[in-house]
Amino acid sequence: MAFVERVFSGVQPTGNLHLGNYLGAIVNFVKLQDTHNCIYCVVDLHAITQPVDVWGGPAELARNIREVTAAFIAAGIDPKKHIVFNQSQVAEHAELAWVFNCVARMGWLNRMTQFKEKAGKDRENASVGLYDYPVLMAADILLYRATHVPVGEDQKQHLELSRDIAQKFNNDFGDSIRKHGGNDGLFFPLPEPLITGPATRVMSLRDGTKKMSKSDASDYSRINLTDDADTIAQKIRKAKTDPEPLPTEEKGLEPRPEADNLVGIFAALSGRSRADVLREFGGGQFSSFKNALVELCVAKLSPIAGEMKRLVADPGHIDAILIDGADRARAIADETMKLTKDIVGFIHRR
Ligand code: AMP
Ligand code: TRP
């Protein structure tokens, strides 16, 4: 029996939501609302896996949870038709993560490149939570038995791990799953990543070989969703390029990461292909292309920034949205958790 299609994705409330988050993830969240039931989560439990100075401490965390929520809504996510909530309000995320800790293997986690990047050289000093991060992510998705997960390119390996965990759980408990009437011995679906659009990996404006990231020390490396028009213009005008004119064919972008990135951003924001953008700007200088890119960025992002500002000015309203979303998420999570307990053999109140 096929699983009912459901979309789940998460964004960490760690500050500086940027154009990469928007084009790699949030734009796709918005589109999927037309075709699927969607659950969008502000993953605050994931945020605290990093050292406190990275996520900023309690006041900053609360502010960032509300800001990501505001960004979702300002970008066009409808929290009434779909579910928007923050992860820590639904305790079952941590509970299912524990069960998955006992399914996932050390060898699998040891291969995770994001842990290696984030832990850096001083691995002994990384939190256990940072190591376990992908297991909690699998729990996020599978708690709702979600089948599709829109993410940026950097989350591909974590999604593969989620599939491995789902599959091993289904195998390890196959007999019990059948006994409890589950889906031909399949309890958890193998979630599919949706990594789509021309900007699944937006790069830094200062270095086309580095990912645009919330934590880059230079604010000129990224366009934040809260940047005003002047800041956006300055950042794009200062963005690194090379001395050649833009190529006329897509192939000409291959050895030119900065050009490729800016053309990719233009394509994503305008809903056109890279080839189409090059038909218009190929052969021309960067300066005129950058002017057009500034105009496009400002036109697309300014209304979102304005709406975010309006929304965060009323924290009570945002908190009410998160509480309502969490209540609806919990109802689904509770069902999955009860069935999981039956399958594993835990005794519980029905
Ligand atoms: P995070 O900020 O790490 O919670 O990421 C939230 C979402 O944005 C995830 O789906 C990421 O894959 C996506 N994302 C983050 N940075 C980028 C980037 N530079 N380009 C494209 N997608 C990104
Ligand atoms: N790890 C994701 C990121 O950094 C955030 C995340 C947490 C997530 N749980 C998730 C994404 C579940 C998709 C599904 O971008």
Side-chain angles (χ1 to χ4, degrees):
M1 192 178 101
F3 286 92
V4 179
E5 292 200 354
R6 179 178 276 149
V7 166
F8 183 96
S9 195
V11 174
Q12 298 188 72
T14 39
N16 289 326
L17 268 184
H18 53 68
L19 190 61
N21 298 127
Y22 181 64
L23 295 177
I26 298 173
V27 166
N28 294 324
F29 296 1
V30 174
K31 274 198 206 126
L32 284 161
Q33 296 183 111
D34 296 337
T35 50
H36 289 78
N37 286 320
C38 303
I39 304 177
Y40 296 125
C41 186
V42 184
V43 289
D44 47 12
L45 298 175
H46 277 104
I48 65 166
T49 59
Q50 297 260 63
V52 182
D53 59 319
V54 174
W55 52 269
E60 185 72 5
L61 182 63
R63 199 187 69 79
N64 281 329
I65 293 169
R66 295 189 183 110
E67 190 170 281
V68 173
T69 309
F72 283 175
I73 295 167
I77 290 169
D78 182 343
K80 289 211 175 75
K81 285 206 186 109
H82 300 272
I83 295 178
V84 173
F85 74 108
N86 60 309
Q87 190 185 25
S88 61
Q89 290 205 72
V90 180
E92 285 82 356
H93 286 253
E95 197 176 5
L96 186 60
W98 182 261
V99 175
F100 285 171
N101 277 333
C102 303
V103 173
R105 306 287 94 179
M106 295 279 287
W108 301 356
L109 288 178
N110 286 338
R111 285 197 286 274
M112 295 295 115
T113 56
Q114 189 170 297
F115 172 75
K116 291 178 196 167
E117 277 163 29
K118 285 193 179 167
K121 288 201 183 71
D122 191 7
R123 206 173 287 184
E124 293 286 308
N125 196 34
S127 76
V128 177
L130 186 66
Y131 184 71
D132 202 32
Y133 179 114
V135 175
L136 178 60
M137 179 164 162
D140 296 341
I141 300 164
L142 296 170
L143 193 49
Y144 305 96
R145 291 194 273 176
T147 53
H148 293 83
V149 184
V151 281
E153 171 71 34
D154 61 348
Q155 295 303 309
K156 198 168 169 213
Q157 193 185 37
H158 287 162
L159 255 296
E160 279 158 17
L161 186 93
S162 296
R163 296 167 67 87
D164 289 344
I165 290 175
Q167 185 147 42
K168 184 159 161 56
F169 182 95
N170 289 341
N171 288 345
D172 287 358
F173 296 102
D175 289 342
S176 186
I177 292 169
R178 272 181 287 275
K179 208 165 92 205
H180 288 96
N183 233 351
D184 299 331
L186 287 179
F187 180 59
F188 289 116
L190 307 190
E192 275 182 45
L194 298 174
I195 302 175
T196 53
T200 56
R201 189 174 170 80
V202 177
M203 308 309 277
S204 157
L205 299 180
R206 309 296 289 165
D207 177 353
T209 63
K210 258 175 52 187
K211 201 175 68 175
M212 184 177 285
S213 121
K214 288 171 175 166
S215 55
D216 196 310
S218 165
D219 204 48
Y220 276 90
S221 68
R222 64 180 161 261
I223 293 174
N224 301 311
L225 288 189
T226 49
D227 283 345
D228 61 24
D230 286 347
T231 310
I232 292 175
Q234 253 179 31
K235 286 178 175 177
I236 291 178
R237 296 220 167 89
K238 281 201 179 182
K240 187 175 168 198
T241 50
D242 55 47
E244 304 295 317
L246 277 164
T248 49
E249 307 273 323
E250 235 183 310
K251 241 173 89 69
L253 291 171
E254 271 168 30
R256 301 171 61 186
E258 283 83 15
D260 183 52
N261 190 39
L262 295 180
V263 171
I265 291 172
F266 195 104
L269 281 172
S270 60
R272 292 160 63 181
S273 67
R274 274 182 168 71
D276 192 35
V277 174
L278 289 178
R279 261 192 291 281
E280 184 179 343
F281 295 98
Q285 294 303 319
F286 271 105
S287 51
S288 56
F289 173 66
K290 278 184 168 181
N291 285 338
L293 184 58
V294 167
E295 208 174 297
L296 179 62
C297 264
V298 170
K300 294 285 174 183
L301 300 184
S302 286
I304 298 176
E307 184 62 8
M308 279 174 73
K309 216 172 188 176
R310 198 184 65 78
L311 287 163
V312 295
D314 186 356
H317 176 63
I318 295 200
D319 295 3
I321 289 172
L322 291 173
I323 289 168
D324 172 64
D327 288 344
R328 288 186 287 135
R330 202 178 298 111
I332 306 169
D334 179 57
E335 178 80 6
T336 307
M337 207 57 229
K338 281 194 172 128
L339 291 168
T340 304
K341 286 181 174 177
D342 287 338
I343 289 165
V344 175
F346 294 141
I347 292 169
H348 63 96
R349 186 208 298 274
R350 273 162 212 287

